[in-house]
Every structure is written in structure tokens, then in C-alpha cells.
Amino acid sequence: MSFIANTIPEQAAMLDTIGIRSLEDLWDPIPASIRLNRPLDLSPALDEQNLVRHLQRIADANVHLDRNLSFIGAGIYDHYCPAIVSALASRGEFATSYTPYQPEVSQGMLQAMYEFQSLICDLTGMDMANASMYDGATALAEAALMAVEVTGRTRVAVSEAVHPHYRQVLNTYLRSAGDEMILLPARRGITDAASFEDLLKGPPACIIGQQPNFFGCLEDVSNYSNAAVRCGALSIISVDPFTLALLKPPGEMEIDIVTGEGQSLGLPTGFGGPLLGIFACKRDYARRLPGRIVGATTDSEGRRGYVMTLRTREQDIRREKATSNICTNEALMALMASIYLVALGKEGLRETAEICVQKAHYLQQHLENELGLKPLFQSKFFCEFAVTLPIDGDELNQRLLQQGIIGGYNLRRRYPQLPDSMLVCVTETKSRDDLDRFVQAMKECIAS
Amino acid sequence: MSRYTHQNPLLIEGSVPGRRGVRTATLDVPAHSLGDMLGAENLRRELPMPELSELDVVRHYTSLSHHNYSIDSGFYPLGSCTMKYNPKVNDRIAAMPGYSRIHPLQPEETVQGALQIMYELQAMLAEIAGMATATLQPAAGAHAELLSLMMIQAYYRHRGEEGREVVLIPDSAHGTNPASAARCGFTVQTIKTGSNGNIDLSGLKAALSTQTAALMLTNPSTLGLFETRIAEICELAHQRGALVYCDGANMNALLGIARPGDMGFDVMHFNLHKTFSTPHGGGGPGGGVIAVQRCLEPFLPVPVIIHKDGRHYSLEEDRPHTIGRIHSFYGAFLVAVRAYAYIAGLGADGLREVAENAVLNANYIRAKIAESFPAAFPQTCMHEVVVSAGGLRRHGVKALDVSKRLIDYGFHPPTNYFPLTVPEALMIEPTETESKQTLDTFCEALIQISREAEDDPELLRTAPHHTPVSRLNETAAVKKLDVRWSTGG
């Protein structure tokens, strides 16, 4: 199955046109000493039917969310994805196109990206957004590097309540560029506001937080912008855009850059990829932004049309002086997120988000009232919360798995200083029965 | 496309207050006050989102799709992007709930199939590369370049060779190469292309020094040419203690024919969305893969998949020399699933046929259009051919005009004005999945366009003529920046 159209007689005719005798002659430029003189060591080719069967068999070794109840979030959220999203995004016209270098034949994707940027701006309350980044973690790292460029400072302050993986990625990027990361401690699940005071002594390039933070708690985002203004730094908040259906947009709190993971907007959990990095900022930084940006303009007859714009920031034009090295980003994922946002619409988004909040609080109360599992932190939360456990989190998860339930995220994996605890996530995909079943299972598993 | 020349209103322009779309859930627990649960101070006042029916949304995006050229719509010879057919079966496989509906933080024992796919795909790609091992962590090609350079940086830090701060890059390289190097704090030094289209060896020798960290080469180069003295080039770099990086964007030419590892490269990247046929998605998701020789293995990003006792797959993070984590989770997994399926479906013979036909098709185009559009370098090319439209300058016609006129004939234009070293460059990459008939029609169109350039150059300068919009004012787009609709929200 190599999907090749040319027949052998056609190949012969083509060789004739080229003026060579055999396919082998095509390799003349490659010295024999470095040619592969054996077939690649790969499994025998499979026809389509056997290919599907083979990959179905491997897939069957995975426990998936359609068959098993899951309460794990921690950066990837199992929201219901309406049929319309994949039905439209999988259209070949979108899926098998590439970066719209030729705008006249790419108006569809260009307009879709302009609309995506607009939706992200409306959701975050920011002035402008790009047409996507790889994922939430790299979007955050790029934002930090942008702040380093803008301020000329080399230290980056980040809250301990930011996703541990994001902090690791940030650290990888900063270390390579010769920059330094300072950790702002969290107290009772919330970034310690007192630690912002210390930053005045040695002002950083930026101050980075997350909303809701990794523990599920709601932070006072204005602390970040206030502190940033005081020390001449940029404020950066990583968000779960889904929660912005209800929560105050960071733009209202004068945040400089908003990044985030867009997976919660109708994308599959997909073992964590491909994802959708979101990047939005104040207009002041228009020429510093990494990634593709689509702008509206007019054609020679005055008709509205869309093009990639502010191109002089980009690697194919500026080479080593570009604002980022990013080229291919996540256009199709951005398209899916847009379809999700508008398919649910203003009312549907608010309603779905509220259902998540209601159900998460229902479960938290039942775990506390029926099992005596106290919340680890007292802060307000959206749809994810930490509960203290009387036993080890990994042990509990093992027992839950026996009952076909994927439990929460064991916080001690990344925060060894915390007591035994679990980060539990509830979305609209869990029915009341599911929640009651989880409470019962937790009861049995803790007792056993 | 001529049937669909209407303008599409913006989503927000079709919005009607009170109209609603999909209902995805119903509240089945007792309701409490949102203000109590979230804190009144945390609630937003307005949510400025469009209000549309589900059918409104379906029609909107279907209509947009009609204004978007794709591989499924027609020939897409965009050089260096490998716009080959994307098999539908791979999409079906990636949508299986066993792949699409798993969470990255599930217990390892519940995702053994996913880890198996990743582990085996890494092994397949290492074999194709001729390297020791591979990682699927990078989200795209440029990401892979960046991480490879981080690994090279870590390699020298580990060896105490801190003074290696220069990365050598040919003038014909993709812009991502110098941009990635700069991102890592390296100084970029440009190497000239020689008169035969290959690297100028004397220039390279002069540039190599004890400050050279790496030489980044694309092979076949962006001129579509195989770097014939590559073994010697790698040897020269190694003699000066430098590593050699292969930008594998053009690997479609070499599958099963020759391997970068055997040529002397130390590290390379693949683009799964190019060589291994995963859909380009209008500009992503891509899939980047890095393959390395043993010397760079300790520096691979975490987590690394290991196969304990030949049975259990697990993710290992505790690796002392790693550059660290570089993606939220494990890279573009569902892209990797498609690439796995592609390789499994083709096998060794199928992959070799890919290379053969990709190179055959490119050389066929080179020969067919040689009189109208001569190749920048006359020798046998690899998977793509770079030709010059410079001959049309005398009619006041540019490569861009030829590209735009091709749209009128129903084709996606080639990459134009790249590589920067060829005047009026048109970089044509047909890929292996295109038929002789398609190539014939395309070549005839190009030849016809060269005649039109002589007879009626205005026809080219005002092309395209049958698209929803004509040439767009890009200068105005920058001057009067409009990058979002305005809702006052």
C-alpha cells in the first residue's frame, strides 16, 4: 500500500522523457558507499483490512474513557465533544491543506484563523491573539522568552501552583537560553502574595501564574498584574479557556500575556497530543508575538479578504532575528476549538461550564459528608479539587482501577511535601450516577 | 473553485441574540449559587460569544472549506512540504477510542498499547534514519530542531567544551534552522552554496573551527539536490569536534535508499506530516521526531519510553543528563499513530517505492518544463526540482505571477522565492502519489503560462482571476492592523 498511481509502463515512459534507462539511475548522485544495500528492517506490509485489525488489537490494550469512569484532569480535560466538531474539521479541504502561503486559494482557513483569534480575544479579554502554538506548556515558555526580550531581564518568576510539567518545559527553554527561573511558593493552595514583595528587590522579566491553578484553586489574578506593574515586569497567566465561560477574563485585570491549553475546547484527550497552545496579549506587543497571525485586508477590487500578517517577525523572513522559530503550529486544532466554541455558543458554553462546576461541588461535598474526606485547600475551585486521603494515592488508584475507575491525580507525585491527597476532576461527562458510584467505590477502596 | 466565489460573512455577523446551538449536557444534581461556589468577584459579567444554530455553524464551515485548496482538491506541489496523499485509513485508526480517548496521566498499565505504538514507531524511525534511537516528543519540525540544538548544547556542556557557540548553516537552508539556533543562544554563520548546488567545501573548511558546535544541513538540500560529498563533509566536521545535524524535511527522497546515520550525521529530525503522510491540517498539527546516534542519547528529552523485560512499557523521567521536558505530555500522539499506520501499511518495499516515485516524478517535471523553466541546477534532482522563472523577466513577469496564474489552471502554486539563492525560484515537489497524467497537465499549464507571459503578460500580473478574492493588499494588512473582529467585549 504505497498509494502510488504510476504504472510500470508509465514509469518507463517517464524514464524515457528524463533520458535515463532505469529507476536505479535516479540514484546516481548518491555515492554507492553510503547507499543502503539491504531492505529496511521493518515488519511486512499490511493490507488495509489487516492494518486496521492490527492497530485495533494494540488499541485494545488501552483502557479508554468510553468504557471507564475517569476523574483525572491535571491539564487535560474530558469534556464531551459534539459530533459537529470532528465532522467539520475532518473535511479534507481543511485537514489536507497546509499553511496558507497563497491566500487566494486559502481564504477558508485564513478566515477560520481570524475568527479563532477573535474568539480567543473575546474569551480572554485580550487585544490580540495568534493563530496557535504547540501546547499550553510551550506557549507559556514562549511567553516567558518574549518577556525576557521585552524587558532585557534574565530572571523569570513562576508560581509553584503552575502545572509542574509547564514549569519543567519553561525550565528547559530558559536554561538553554541562559535565563533563570525563580519559584514563588504556594500556601494553602494559592500563590503566596507575600512572595511578590520579594520580587521588588530583584525585578524579574515576568511573573507567571495559572488560573485555575494546578490545585484547581482560583487565584486572585490581579495580584499578578499589580506586582508586575510595581516591578516593571510582564504579567503572564496560563488559563484553561473553558473556565473563561464563567470566570473573569484576565484582560480585565490588566494581564500582559495570556497563554493556555485549548484542549478543553472540544479536542480529544488523545494521550496528550496533538494539543492547542493559546497565546494572547496586549496590543503593545503586536510586533513581538511569536507564531502566525492572520489579518483582514482588501483585494484589488476592495473585497474583504485575509492574509498572514506581521510576517517580518517570522523565521522564513527574518531567519536568526525572528521572534520565534515556530513554523507549523496547530491550525486544525484551532479550527476544532473554534467550531466547539460557536457550536455551543454563548448560552451553551455558560451552561456546560456551570454544569461542571455544580457537579464538581456535588462530588466534593459528598466525599466530605459521606466519607469524611476533607478538601486539602479551602479556596474556591472550578471543576477540579484536591481531597486529603487516609491512604496513599497510588494505592487507592490501584484499587479503584480494579473497579474500572481511573481515579484522580496523586499530588504527591510532584509535591512530595503535601499529605496524601488526590486532585479530582469532574466534567459534564459524569452523570449523577457516575458521581455516586465514585463515592461508593472510594468508600470501599479506602476501607479495604 | 469558480463555483464558489461568494464572500463568507464572519461568524459574529450571523449571530442572533438568544439563538442557541448544541446542548451537550443537562444538570442532574441540585443547583447552588455560582456566586457562592466561585466567588462573585471571580465571575465575568459578559460572555461575548456568537449565538448560532448548529446548522448555521455547519453551513459556515462547509462554506469556508469550499474556499480552501487542499491535497484532496488537487495537485499541491508546494516544495519542501511534501504534500502527498494522506491515507483515509490512518484517520480512521487515529479516531479509535483506544487511542483518541485515553488520558496522558492514566496509570501506565492502562496505556500499554499507546506506549507500544510510540516505542515501536521510534524503532522504525531509528531504522529508517540509520540512528541508534529516536524520540517523538517534538510537536513539529522546528520544535525538533530547537530540541536537537539544546541536546547539542548539553552535550558540549557535559564535555566541558563551553566555547562551541557557532552553528554553521548553508544559505539555502530553511529559515527555521537559523531561528532555532538563535533561540538556543548560538551564533549563526552562513555557508555558501557552490556553483554545482552543493556546499562549497573550501568555504566549509575555512568556517569550521574549535568554536563550531554543529553544522546543520538539509539533505537532499532545499535545491532538491543530494549533497554528494556528504560523508566527507561529516568527516571534516567531526575532525574539528563538531556535530552534524540533518534537517530531514526532504527525507521523502531517501526512504530505504540511503540513511543519514550511514552518511555520518549525528542527529536528524523527521517531519511526520511530510514524509509519513499525516495531514498537514492547514498548518498543523505537525509531528516532529528526533533520531540520534548513541553519543546524544543521554541528553534526550524526558520522559523516555523503556521496555522492561521485553514486556512492560514505561515512561522514565529520572535521567541525569536529559535536557528536560519539552512538551506538556508526549508530543503529538495521534499524529504518531497515523505515521505508525502508514509505515506498517507500506513496509520496507513500499517505502522504497515512495522514494523512487517521488524522485521519478520530480525529474519528469524537470525534463518536461526544461525549455520554459530551466532547473537552477541541471543534474538529476531528488524529490523536488527548483526552477527559475527569471527568463520571463523580459516580459515583466515574475515567479509570483506564474504562481498566481497556475491557480487559474486549478493547481496550487509551488513554493516561490525559496531558496533565496535562486532568482525567481519556483520549488516544485510533486510527491510520489501524483500520477503521470496530473504531472502532464501541470507541465502543459506551466508551458502555456510561459507563452502567455510573452503574448499577454497582464493576464499573469492580474492573476488569479477565478478565486473568491484577487491579490490581497498585504501592506495595508500590516499598516492598518485588523487581527480580530470587534464586539466591544
Side-chain angles (χ1 to χ4, degrees):
Chain A
M1 281 203 326
S2 46
F3 308 98
I4 286 161
N6 295 331
T7 62
I8 289 169
E10 281 173 325
Q11 286 179 341
M14 293 165 82
L15 289 169
D16 201 44
T17 304
I18 299 167
I20 57 176
R21 273 167 312 182
S22 73
L23 288 173
E24 203 54 32
D25 294 349
L26 292 170
W27 310 120
D28 282 349
I30 308 180
S33 59
I34 50 168
R35 279 195 229 166
L36 186 67
N37 53 14
R38 60 166 175 84
L40 287 168
D41 183 15
L42 297 170
S43 302
L46 297 171
D47 59 52
E48 180 166 331
Q49 196 187 145
N50 280 301
L51 181 66
V52 170
R53 198 173 292 160
H54 173 64
L55 277 134
Q56 182 65 62
R57 206 175 300 132
I58 299 175
D60 289 344
N62 295 328
V63 171
H64 65 77
L65 305 179
D66 282 350
R67 296 236 181 91
N68 288 71
L69 208 49
S70 163
F71 293 89
I72 198 160
I76 296 291
Y77 299 99
D78 177 27
H79 291 292
Y80 177 79
C81 181
I84 180 176
V85 175
S86 59
L88 292 173
S90 66
R91 290 181 67 92
E93 296 91 334
F94 293 128
T96 74
S97 64
Y98 199 19
T99 307
Y101 295 114
Q102 300 288 340
E104 299 88 345
V105 287
S106 309
Q107 283 299 299
M109 204 58 172
L110 283 163
Q111 182 173 335
M113 292 303 103
Y114 177 89
E115 291 176 333
F116 169 76
Q117 292 167 187
S118 303
L119 290 163
I120 294 302
C121 287
D122 282 347
L123 210 49
T124 57
M126 302 303 282
D127 298 331
M128 60 186 298
N130 73 11
S132 78
M133 307 290 284
Y134 302 138
D135 65 3
T138 57
L140 184 62
E142 291 264 7
L145 290 179
M146 182 175 130
V148 166
E149 279 291 313
V150 168
T151 61
R153 299 174 185 169
T154 57
R155 298 192 321 149
V156 165
V158 57
S159 164
E160 194 187 13
V162 167
H163 197 301
H165 289 187
Y166 288 26
R167 283 188 279 119
Q168 289 175 332
V169 171
L170 180 63
N171 194 42
T172 304
Y173 274 65
L174 292 177
R175 200 168 44 179
S176 166
D179 304 321
E180 192 193 338
M181 190 166 104
I182 321 165
L183 205 58
L184 304 171
R187 282 172 51 143
R188 298 187 202 95
I190 295 287
T191 312
D192 187 2
S195 68
F196 290 132
E197 294 299 319
D198 299 337
L199 294 176
L200 290 169
K201 293 173 210 151
C206 56
I207 311 176
I208 303 175
Q210 180 179 326
Q211 177 80 324
N213 71 23
F214 185 68
F215 304 118
C217 299
L218 297 185
E219 298 250 356
D220 183 352
V221 170
S222 59
N223 283 343
Y224 287 85
S225 40
N226 291 338
V229 167
R230 286 175 64 198
C231 59
L234 270 63
S235 51
I236 302 175
I237 296 293
S238 176
V239 297
D240 170 0
F242 179 85
T243 65
L244 293 175
L246 297 175
L247 296 181
K248 198 181 269 185
E252 270 182 36
M253 275 89 81
E254 290 301 314
I255 293 297
D256 293 299
I257 308 175
V258 175
T259 63
E261 176 49 64
Q263 178 275 333
S264 55
L265 304 177
L267 273 56
T269 53
F271 204 44
L275 297 174
L276 169 61
I278 285 172
F279 196 113
C281 65
K282 287 185 179 166
R283 207 183 166 92
D284 309 356
Y285 308 116
R287 282 170 170 78
R288 302 278 195 163
L289 212 63
R292 310 271 188 218
I293 300 169
V294 172
T297 185
T298 48
D299 73 358
S300 49
E301 289 165 52
R303 289 173 296 199
R304 179 169 69 188
Y306 305 88
V307 290
M308 294 196 289
T309 192
L310 295 174
R311 293 272 292 134
T312 50
R313 300 163 301 110
E314 291 195 56
Q315 47 76 29
D316 53 332
I317 297 186
R318 289 284 278 176
R319 299 176 80 83
E320 65 268 28
K321 294 192 181 66
T323 58
S324 164
N325 72 329
I326 194 166
C327 179
T328 293
N329 43 84
E330 303 292 333
L332 197 69
M333 313 321 274
L335 177 72
M336 290 174 76
S338 301
I339 298 170
Y340 179 84
L341 284 169
V342 298
L344 268 69
K346 184 186 205 150
E347 207 44 50
L349 284 169
R350 292 189 70 100
E351 188 179 271
T352 310
E354 178 171 350
I355 291 172
C356 293
V357 174
Q358 296 285 1
K359 287 181 183 231
H361 285 76
Y362 173 89
L363 181 64
Q364 186 274 322
Q365 278 165 21
H366 281 250
L367 289 172
E368 184 168 6
N369 296 344
E370 293 176 35
L371 275 63
L373 300 180
K374 296 275 181 219
L376 180 60
F377 306 118
Q378 298 306 317
S379 305
K380 305 280 187 203
F381 64 92
F382 195 86
C383 66
E384 203 169 15
F385 57 94
V387 287
T388 51
L389 300 172
I391 63 168
D392 173 67
D394 284 345
E395 174 59 31
L396 176 61
N397 271 337
Q398 280 302 317
R399 295 179 195 173
L400 284 168
L401 201 55
Q402 302 294 315
Q403 299 208 21
I405 295 174
I406 295 166
Y409 180 81
N410 182 359
L411 280 171
R412 292 195 47 155
R413 276 201 199 174
R414 300 288 173 191
Y415 298 89
Q417 73 276 23
L418 291 179
D420 283 324
S421 53
M422 180 183 266
L423 188 63
V424 178
C425 168
V426 182
T427 67
E428 78 285 4
T429 57
K430 306 296 170 281
S431 68
R432 183 176 183 158
D433 285 349
D434 293 336
L435 300 177
D436 293 343
R437 188 184 148 210
F438 181 60
V439 172
Q440 185 58 32
M442 284 282 275
K443 194 175 187 175
E444 291 167 20
C445 292
I446 288 169
S448 69
Chain B
M1 215 175 254
S2 56
R3 282 178 301 146
Y4 301 115
T5 50
H6 60 280
Q7 294 272 286
N8 284 309
L10 289 166
L11 284 162
I12 201 75
E13 292 164 348
S15 178
V16 176
R19 185 174 285 172
R20 60 167 302 164
V22 188
R23 192 181 290 268
T24 62
T26 305
L27 187 65
D28 59 356
V29 298
H32 292 96
S33 146
L34 270 183
D36 288 349
M37 289 185 290
L38 298 177
E41 71 283 8
N42 290 322
L43 295 180
R44 77 186 294 159
R45 293 184 303 272
E46 273 293 313
L47 180 64
M49 281 285 132
E51 298 174 85
L52 302 161
S53 73
E54 181 166 338
L55 179 57
D56 289 338
V57 178
V58 169
R59 293 225 172 110
H60 178 78
Y61 284 100
T62 303
S63 182
L64 288 189
S65 79
H66 292 155
H67 288 187
N68 217 53
Y69 197 93
S70 64
I71 301 169
D72 285 4
S73 339
F75 187 43
Y76 207 131
L78 190 66
S80 228
C81 298
T82 314
M83 304 302 284
K84 62 168 79 181
Y85 171 61
N86 306 147
K88 300 299 174 194
V89 64
N90 300 343
D91 294 333
R92 178 193 277 192
I93 289 166
M96 288 175 177
Y99 299 123
S100 64
R101 298 272 295 136
I102 50 176
H103 191 286
L105 297 170
Q106 282 182 215
E108 264 170 24
E109 61 267 37
T110 65
V111 288
Q112 286 296 301
L115 296 176
Q116 180 187 341
I117 290 281
M118 293 172 73
Y119 186 85
E120 290 183 0
L121 179 58
Q122 286 175 6
M124 294 174 191
L125 294 169
E127 163 68 6
I128 292 166
M131 300 271 179
T133 188
T135 175
L136 309 179
Q137 295 270 340
H143 201 208
E145 290 174 24
L146 179 67
L147 308 170
S148 299
L149 288 159
M150 286 181 184
M151 288 167 66
I152 289 169
Q153 192 178 42
Y155 169 85
Y156 286 120
R157 279 183 189 166
H158 178 62
R159 293 165 60 97
E161 296 182 58
E162 306 272 349
R164 293 196 179 267
E165 284 167 354
V166 178
V167 173
L168 304 180
I169 299 175
D171 49 9
S172 62
H174 298 115
T176 50
N177 290 182
S180 299
R183 209 80 173 128
C184 277
F186 286 114
T187 304
V188 174
Q189 191 178 335
T190 306
I191 303 288
K192 285 217 168 354
T193 303
S195 55
N196 62 352
N198 278 177
I199 288 287
D200 174 28
L201 232 62
S202 58
L204 173 67
K205 277 183 200 157
L208 280 166
S209 78
T210 51
Q211 263 140 49
T212 312
L215 166 65
M216 290 181 95
L217 280 185
T218 309
N219 193 21
S221 70
T222 58
L223 293 163
L225 303 176
F226 190 85
E227 201 65 65
T228 50
R229 295 173 75 180
I230 187 63
E232 198 181 334
I233 290 171
C234 291
E235 186 64 34
L236 277 171
H238 288 155
Q239 276 167 9
R240 301 310 295 264
L243 296 174
V244 194
Y245 178 93
C246 177
D247 178 331
N250 297 337
M251 273 302 287
N252 213 41
L254 299 182
L255 295 169
I257 304 293
R259 310 189 304 170
D262 300 335
M263 300 169 200
F265 285 103
D266 301 289
V267 47
M268 72 168 292
H269 86 257
F270 287 106
N271 301 82
L272 297 181
H273 51 288
K274 294 180 182 175
T275 314
F276 300 100
S277 85
T278 68
H280 283 69
V289 174
I290 302 171
V292 294
Q293 302 282 25
R294 285 269 173 249
C295 63
L296 288 171
E297 194 179 1
F299 309 99
L300 285 171
V302 288
V304 167
I305 305 166
I306 53 173
H307 195 199
K308 281 186 204 146
D309 324 320
R311 279 195 316 210
H312 186 79
Y313 297 94
S314 59
L315 292 164
E316 190 177 72
E317 285 193 32
D318 188 16
R319 295 172 64 91
H321 301 299
T322 175
I323 56 161
R325 186 183 291 275
I326 52 97
H327 185 266
S328 296
F329 296 97
Y330 324 116
F333 174 72
L334 295 177
V335 174
V337 170
R338 288 179 172 89
Y340 179 107
Y342 180 71
I343 298 172
L346 266 68
D349 292 346
L351 289 181
R352 198 186 151 92
E353 281 171 36
V354 166
E356 283 169 352
N357 286 278
V359 175
L360 175 69
N361 282 356
N363 278 289
Y364 182 65
I365 291 179
R366 178 177 60 82
K368 289 273 278 191
I369 62 172
E371 278 180 33
S372 311
F373 297 92
F377 298 93
Q379 65 263 45
T380 301
C381 62
M382 291 283 113
H383 65 300
E384 66 194 1
V385 59
V386 177
V387 303
S388 176
L392 303 183
R393 268 192 198 139
R394 62 182 189 278
H395 311 299
V397 163
K398 294 183 280 197
L400 183 73
D401 303 320
V402 175
S403 287
K404 298 301 185 194
R405 182 64 180 149
L406 271 169
I407 293 172
D408 287 337
Y409 284 86
F411 298 107
H412 193 283
T415 296
N416 46 50
Y417 299 105
F418 186 80
L420 309 170
T421 49
V422 175
E424 301 296 325
L426 291 170
M427 184 198 227
I428 306 169
E429 180 181 10
T431 84
E432 76 282 2
T433 52
E434 297 300 333
S435 69
K436 179 173 175 293
Q437 288 93 323
T438 301
L439 305 184
D440 284 338
T441 321
F442 174 74
C443 292
E444 281 154 23
L446 268 177
I447 293 162
Q448 179 64 27
I449 289 169
S450 75
R451 284 191 210 113
E452 288 171 354
E454 213 173 321
D455 303 341
D456 187 3
E458 197 55 21
L459 188 64
L460 274 66
R461 286 195 290 263
T462 52
H465 300 98
H466 312 298
T467 43
V469 289
S470 58
R471 291 191 201 186
L472 290 149
N473 190 336
E474 298 189 13
T475 314
V478 176
K479 277 195 183 145
K480 203 167 162 280
L481 200 60
D482 171 5
V483 293
R484 58 170 298 188
W485 62 49
S486 179
T487 50

